[in-house]
Amino acid sequence: MLRAVLYAVFLLGALPSLATDSRGHISVVLLGATGDLAKKYLWEGLFHLYLDQVSSGHSFTFHGAALTAHEPGQKLMFEVLKKLACPTHVSSDRCAVVKDQFLKLSQYHQLKTSENYTALNREIETLLRQEGLKEAGRIFYFSVPPFAYAEIARHINSSCRPPQGAWLRVVLEKPFGHDHKSAQQLAMELMTFFREEEMYRVDHYLGKQAVAHILPFRDQNRQFLDPIWNRHHVERVEIVLKETLDAKGRTSFYEQYGVIRDVLQNHLTEVLMYLTMELPANISSSEQVLQRKLQTFKSLQRLGSSNVVLGQYQAYASQVREELEKAQDYAVTTPTFAGVLIQLDSLRWEGVPFLLTSGKALDERVGYVRVLFKNQAYCVQRETLREAGRSPCEAKQIIFYIGHGELDHPAVLVSRNLFKPIMPAGSWKEVVDLPQLRLFGHPLSDYYVYSPVTERETYSVLISSIFHGRKDSFITTENLLASWEFWTPLLESLTQHIPRLYPGGLENQHLLDFEMVGRELAFTLEEPVELLHADGQMPGDYRTIQAKFRQSPLVSAWPEELIAQLASDMEVAAASAVARAGEFHVALSGGSSPVILFQRLAMHHYGFPWRHTHLWLVDERCVPLADPESNFGSLHKHLLHHVRVPYLNIHPMPVHLNRRLCVEEDRGPELYAKEIAALVTNASLDFVLLGLGYDGHTASLFPQSSSGLEGAELVVFTESPVKPHQRMSLSLPLINKARQVAVLVMGKGKHEITTQISRVGQEPRKWPISGVNPSSGQLVWYMDYEALLG
Ligand SMILES: *[C@@H]1O[C@H](CO)[C@@H](O)[C@H](O)[C@H]1NC(C)=O
Ligand SMILES: *[C@@H]1O[C@H](CO)[C@@H](O)[C@H](O)[C@H]1NC(C)=O
Ligand SMILES: *[C@@H]1O[C@H](CO)[C@@H](O)[C@H](O)[C@H]1NC(C)=O
Ligand SMILES: *[C@@H]1O[C@H](CO)[C@@H](O)[C@H](O)[C@H]1NC(C)=O
């Protein structure tokens, strides 16, 4: 039948003679040919490919495939094909002729069993032989759910590979897993059937014209952007995809993913990469772009739940219960709205907030990237005399308008007071009759506005790239896994997070507005429901309890208040030491409670005399200092990174000497003791921050320790019962010389040991903490209610 079809096409005279000067035949197999994506976009994309390539010298056949039997499947598929339309620039006569050819070159196949795949392969081979065609390649487009991938991949690999000399391209649609582990499993599986260069993972956002132009824009405007594309000039960047639709009818998919997996992990992250990566020398080189992208992934700061706000539209829960047939009390916590604050550890972007936002059931459908620059000018001339929109004192922004919204077209906008961008003349044109619109606080006339010369459907762009073997707008395995590696810890930390409910559409009003509070994100408005304090046992107010514990002052409060109190007590101690002696010597412990303290100090104590502070370690694990297990590593990451302590005032413990860790002969403890003696008057530290272990240990002084509990040594090696076993620690005698010692104890888990040591005497062999007893200084206990009261 196909043979007859091809002849029919030849007779029309629209195709060049395929048998002789053909550049080769291409078979396109669309799996899931009658599914939603195929109906809405893919057939159209394939048709446009054919329109573009009809006189390129290639010949084509299109094979729609699905599980449905031949007759009904064919009927369904041709209903879709009959409705295909041409882009507006194609004349209707030409459109009719080419469409007719396209229909004749398209066939439906049932692809269910391995016999069906073998039969398809045989058909392709037979056709090529009969027509005397050379095979150029085969495209298999997977528009099927991911659970079907492996099975299909196996069949293609075993019976549908083209012969030597022809290429194979398989195109995969998201989701590519739902966390790092599952993405890795799926990737490993696919890699047993296909080579990396054969796989094209689609992120359809990369086919959007405004997104695809970010890198070329940065490249072509290097002369303008070089000085300003950095933390000194960029105030913030917003990457936004808002939808008005909700998840109705798709909740079985959506429940497993939610907005972060559905939109942020892939589309918005890719956009973030295009904006932040260091530009490679050649942006057309996919390898160079990928390499720069992977470097940028490494510089993303790890996200925690405080960097996120989550919402869920109100009708979602009932839609889920109905569609998934769940009981009324089935809890639905999947977010349908998210705002995420991302920061980078790089010289270029440190401190610049990148806000990624997406949601369903919002007030408008729009996608954009907005780069807002800091306003560093002061205009002396009075405002009414300035030329509107041109003054350096007005907002400076660059906007990549991805689509929909008020503008309703892809566009690139650059504030006129920034620069007139260089745009590729063939593909982007300056828009001159601007509509009367305000965007981002300004009338359109304040911007240079560019739009594509021809607007192209996303899938047409992507399918054309696949045909040309251009891999740069697809997601490689490494890229995919790097993205999941970044998002997975956050997703795991959010499983208990209850999203804020929102009514949907215009009714949301300001309910979802959020703002940056330091390095964190919070909704601007309070949630309009009463939050109840269920447990009447705990003190409900925020006054801290002042009392005694083991004869020393005790400060007890809810964790946040407790940390605030400790941070402010530390600042007072620092200020008085600096006033007295010109410097403040503080020794800090590792562990998780101090991390919160460090964050508090970095974010709230701008008056802290860091410039005159010397930082010492209370204890250290015998691992390299850059190891994540290292106490110094944690101190560096959570505190040093954010404050300005002179390098010479930072004193990590010398656990790593002569390229080995904690060896007696290297005399690390002695070295550290000498350093303390040299810099700290009478070896009396101004402030020592300690913790308390479940077994009563403090610093790295464990029960029954053979050193450090008494004697003359200031610094000692010790053995921990848990890994890493080897430690270095300040000794009790040194700690007891300090002017001020704070013991920070937090969490329910510590209640038992707190109770125990509240009753014991001074028995440092059994409970090292009980030996903390400054000879002339002051000891203060800082305990949260859970540690104190259980
Ligand atoms: C697909 O394979 C099955 C089993 O081998 C066979 O019964 C069916 O007819 C095949 N479908 C087509 C359209 O050939
Ligand atoms: C892929 O196909 C090749 C050639 O037919 C075969 O040797 C190989 O085992 C297949 N791979 C897998 C994982 O089945
Ligand atoms: C940039 O990379 C593309 C794709 O690899 C290559 O064709 C082109 O020659 C390169 N340009 C330069 C200047 O190296
Ligand atoms: C250091 O110790 C000596 C002797 O114990 C004492 O006299 C002196 O006051 C101490 N200095 C400071 C600054 O505490």
Side-chain angles (χ1 to χ4, degrees):
M1 180 192 164
L2 248 171
R3 186 184 164 86
V5 166
L6 272 176
Y7 280 124
V9 172
F10 298 159
L11 292 175
L12 284 170
L15 290 178
S17 164
L18 298 190
T20 52
D21 56 326
S22 168
R23 298 177 58 199
H25 184 83
I26 291 154
S27 316
V28 182
V29 183
L30 173 53
L31 299 134
T34 54
D36 274 351
L37 189 68
K39 275 190 212 160
K40 263 164 95 174
Y41 304 114
L42 300 180
W43 278 114
E44 186 178 78
L46 293 175
F47 177 44
H48 291 174
L49 173 70
Y50 184 63
L51 263 168
D52 286 346
Q53 298 299 327
V54 70
S55 35
S56 66
H58 285 290
S59 61
F60 290 87
T61 41
F62 298 91
H63 308 262
L67 296 174
T68 319
H70 190 79
E71 293 280 314
Q74 170 157 287
K75 189 155 166 284
L76 272 173
M77 183 177 114
F78 276 91
E79 272 165 24
V80 180
L81 298 197
K82 277 185 213 139
K83 292 190 199 128
L84 289 174
C86 293
T88 46
H89 66 267
V90 178
S91 76
S92 59
D93 284 355
R94 175 155 187 268
C95 183
V97 172
V98 179
K99 184 171 160 182
D100 195 46
Q101 293 170 6
F102 181 76
L103 292 187
K104 286 174 178 156
L105 295 172
S106 300
Q107 268 194 326
Y108 177 78
H109 299 262
Q110 181 188 33
L111 283 186
K112 200 170 177 179
T113 63
S114 56
E115 288 78 30
N116 297 156
Y117 282 87
T118 326
L120 170 66
N121 186 54
R122 210 165 36 234
E123 257 181 62
I124 293 174
E125 283 173 353
T126 309
L127 169 81
L128 290 162
R129 202 169 45 246
Q130 287 176 346
E131 301 303 332
L133 295 171
K134 178 166 72 92
E135 180 156 24
R138 299 182 187 182
I139 296 174
F140 284 84
Y141 202 119
F142 285 46
S143 177
V144 296
F147 64 79
Y149 278 16
E151 178 75 8
I152 297 175
R154 184 185 312 280
H155 289 311
I156 294 174
N157 175 55
S158 58
S159 43
C160 293
R161 279 191 168 275
Q164 280 281 320
W167 44 253
L168 170 68
R169 294 183 188 143
V170 293
V171 188
L172 307 163
E173 280 283 345
K174 73 167 189 181
F176 309 118
H178 70 277
D179 58 14
H180 184 252
K181 197 165 154 220
S182 57
Q184 198 166 29
Q185 263 164 4
L186 183 61
M188 295 292 283
E189 201 160 24
L190 289 170
M191 270 153 54
T192 64
F193 302 115
F194 305 124
R195 295 196 300 273
E196 180 69 32
E197 69 267 24
E198 293 174 333
M199 288 188 277
Y200 288 70
R201 281 192 196 81
V202 171
D203 184 323
H204 76 265
Y205 235 56
L206 302 189
K208 302 267 183 196
Q209 283 168 296
V211 173
H213 196 59
I214 295 175
L215 276 188
F217 179 90
R218 289 183 54 194
D219 188 46
Q220 286 151 14
N221 292 284
R222 282 184 201 242
Q223 55 174 310
F224 306 115
L225 293 175
D226 261 355
I228 61 171
W229 202 250
N230 56 50
R231 68 190 152 110
H232 302 296
H233 292 267
V234 175
E235 180 165 317
R236 63 147 122 187
V237 177
E238 300 164 0
I239 305 174
V240 177
L241 169 57
K242 288 167 64 178
E243 296 181 89
T244 47
L245 284 180
D246 64 17
K248 191 157 195 259
R250 292 178 66 230
T251 56
S252 65
F253 162 80
Y254 207 81
E255 256 302 88
Q256 294 176 55
Y257 292 89
V259 65
I260 295 181
R261 293 181 171 91
D262 191 33
V263 176
L264 278 79
Q265 175 272 325
N266 38 48
H267 310 322
L268 303 193
T269 303
E270 288 301 315
V271 173
L272 174 70
M273 292 297 120
Y274 279 171
L275 294 166
T276 54
M277 74 166 81
E278 292 299 310
L279 277 185
N282 181 357
I283 62 155
S284 311
S285 154
S286 332
E287 298 86 56
Q288 287 186 22
V289 170
L290 173 67
Q291 194 207 348
R292 288 297 165 96
K293 233 193 223 185
L294 292 172
Q295 282 169 359
T296 309
F297 270 114
K298 291 209 181 84
S299 71
L300 296 178
Q301 277 183 22
R302 194 184 159 121
L303 293 175
S305 55
S306 61
N307 304 118
V308 183
V309 288
L310 296 179
Q312 184 187 79
Y313 67 83
Q314 235 148 14
Y316 180 70
S318 58
Q319 290 170 354
V320 168
R321 288 183 201 118
E322 195 177 312
E323 290 175 21
L324 307 184
E325 296 176 2
K326 299 287 184 190
Q328 272 312 305
D329 58 356
Y330 178 74
V332 183
T333 55
T334 308
T336 63
F337 168 86
V340 178
L341 169 60
I342 294 181
Q343 301 208 320
L344 284 82
D345 280 330
S346 73
L347 282 180
R348 185 183 291 282
W349 295 120
E350 188 184 277
V352 178
F354 289 83
L355 293 170
L356 275 56
T357 304
S358 184
K360 293 198 171 291
L362 301 182
D363 61 326
E364 61 170 344
R365 181 182 185 195
V366 68
Y368 63 83
V369 173
R370 177 188 185 210
V371 181
L372 177 67
F373 291 86
K374 293 180 182 171
N375 210 325
Q376 290 166 329
Y378 174 75
C379 292
V380 177
Q381 195 180 31
R382 95 177 100 100
E383 200 170 335
T384 44
L385 292 178
R386 291 180 216 152
E387 198 188 352
R390 310 293 198 274
S391 150
C393 285
E394 288 180 33
K396 297 177 183 133
Q397 346 192 34
I398 295 176
I399 290 143
F400 297 93
Y401 206 84
I402 298 166
H404 304 289
E406 288 183 289
L407 213 48
D408 203 28
H409 293 287
V412 175
L413 296 89
V414 179
S415 292
R416 283 180 183 269
N417 57 7
L418 263 179
F419 57 86
K420 184 172 188 348
I422 296 167
M423 298 291 281
S427 48
W428 290 81
K429 59 173 194 295
E430 187 166 357
V431 184
V432 276
D433 329 319
L434 293 166
Q436 294 287 323
L437 259 186
R438 289 179 74 84
L439 273 187
F440 305 105
H442 286 261
L444 279 188
S445 57
D446 285 2
Y447 302 93
Y448 295 109
V449 182
Y450 295 82
S451 68
V453 172
T454 25
E455 246 177 81
R456 300 192 61 199
E457 286 296 333
T458 307
Y459 274 97
S460 303
V461 174
L462 290 171
I463 287 173
S464 162
S465 298
I466 295 161
F467 170 75
H468 287 106
R470 280 197 300 258
K471 288 214 74 174
D472 39 331
S473 20
F474 298 87
I475 309 297
T476 64
T477 305
E478 276 180 295
N479 183 168
L480 175 74
L481 295 179
S483 175
W484 276 120
E485 206 172 317
F486 171 62
W487 286 101
T488 302
L490 174 73
L491 287 162
E492 283 169 356
S493 78
L494 292 176
T495 49
Q496 305 294 321
H497 203 99
I498 307 291
R500 166 176 289 198
L501 290 178
Y502 59 96
L506 293 173
E507 280 180 66
N508 295 339
Q509 297 188 23
H510 295 294
L511 197 58
L512 295 177
D513 294 354
F514 57 85
E515 61 194 43
M516 291 175 278
V517 184
R519 283 165 223 280
E520 306 187 345
L521 220 53
F523 283 117
T524 304
L525 296 181
E526 291 282 321
E527 193 144 17
V529 286
E530 289 286 317
L531 287 172
L532 297 174
H533 286 287
D535 194 343
Q537 292 267 304
M538 301 272 185
D541 62 7
Y542 290 124
R543 256 175 303 129
T544 52
I545 292 183
Q546 294 276 356
K548 293 257 172 186
F549 185 83
R550 289 183 60 83
Q551 283 92 53
S552 294
L554 164 72
V555 179
S556 188
W558 295 105
E560 212 172 299
E561 306 308 309
L562 184 73
I563 292 292
Q565 185 64 50
L566 174 54
S568 98
D569 290 352
M570 240 174 107
E571 183 172 344
V572 170
S576 87
V578 172
R580 185 182 64 243
E583 52 192 28
F584 175 57
H585 289 273
V586 56
L588 298 172
S589 293
S592 55
S593 311
V595 167
I596 317 173
L597 174 69
F598 299 161
Q599 283 166 350
R600 175 91 201 171
L601 285 169
M603 257 161 45
H604 294 267
H605 290 261
Y606 295 95
F608 201 100
W610 293 116
R611 220 168 269 290
H612 304 282
T613 296
H614 280 257
L615 288 174
W616 302 88
L617 271 281
V618 161
D619 61 336
E620 185 56 282
R621 298 153 181 215
C622 292
V623 296
L625 294 182
D627 191 288
E629 288 263 23
S630 151
N631 288 343
F632 181 75
S634 163
L635 183 68
H636 181 263
K637 182 166 171 197
H638 297 289
L639 184 66
L640 294 181
H641 207 77
H642 308 296
V643 298
R644 304 276 181 268
V645 179
Y647 297 126
L648 298 175
N649 293 6
I650 299 169
H651 309 283
M653 280 186 157
V655 288
H656 202 174
L657 291 169
N658 298 326
R659 279 180 286 125
R660 49 192 193 177
L661 291 166
C662 294
V663 173
E664 291 283 350
E665 296 94 90
D666 294 333
R667 300 177 177 277
E670 240 176 84
L671 277 177
Y672 206 54
K674 274 190 184 148
E675 201 175 339
I676 294 175
L679 296 174
V680 185
T681 313
N682 285 358
S684 166
L685 292 159
D686 295 304
F687 198 101
V688 175
L689 174 70
L690 298 176
L692 168 61
Y694 299 106
D695 56 356
H697 81 258
T698 190
S700 276
L701 303 167
F702 297 90
Q704 313 304 333
S705 177
S706 58
S707 59
L709 299 177
E710 54 198 23
E713 285 172 307
L714 300 182
V715 186
V716 292
F717 276 137
T718 63
E719 287 281 326
S720 158
V722 297
K723 280 187 177 170
H725 296 297
Q726 278 191 299
R727 309 287 176 94
M728 190 184 286
S729 178
L730 302 188
S731 67
L732 272 183
L734 177 65
I735 290 169
N736 286 333
K737 280 172 183 275
R739 289 174 173 267
Q740 210 165 322
V741 178
V743 183
L744 176 61
V745 192
M746 289 173 62
K748 205 175 251 157
K750 297 284 168 65
H751 180 57
E752 206 175 303
I753 184 71
T754 338
T755 312
Q756 209 163 18
I757 61 154
S758 69
R759 302 189 191 120
V760 303
Q762 199 162 330
E763 292 178 72
R765 293 223 138 262
K766 224 164 160 189
W767 294 285
I769 187 74
S770 71
V772 175
N773 194 8
S775 47
S776 57
Q778 168 90 80
L779 166 64
V780 181
W781 299 86
Y782 294 82
M783 290 190 189
D784 71 350
Y785 291 136
E786 289 196 330
L788 185 67
L789 309 172

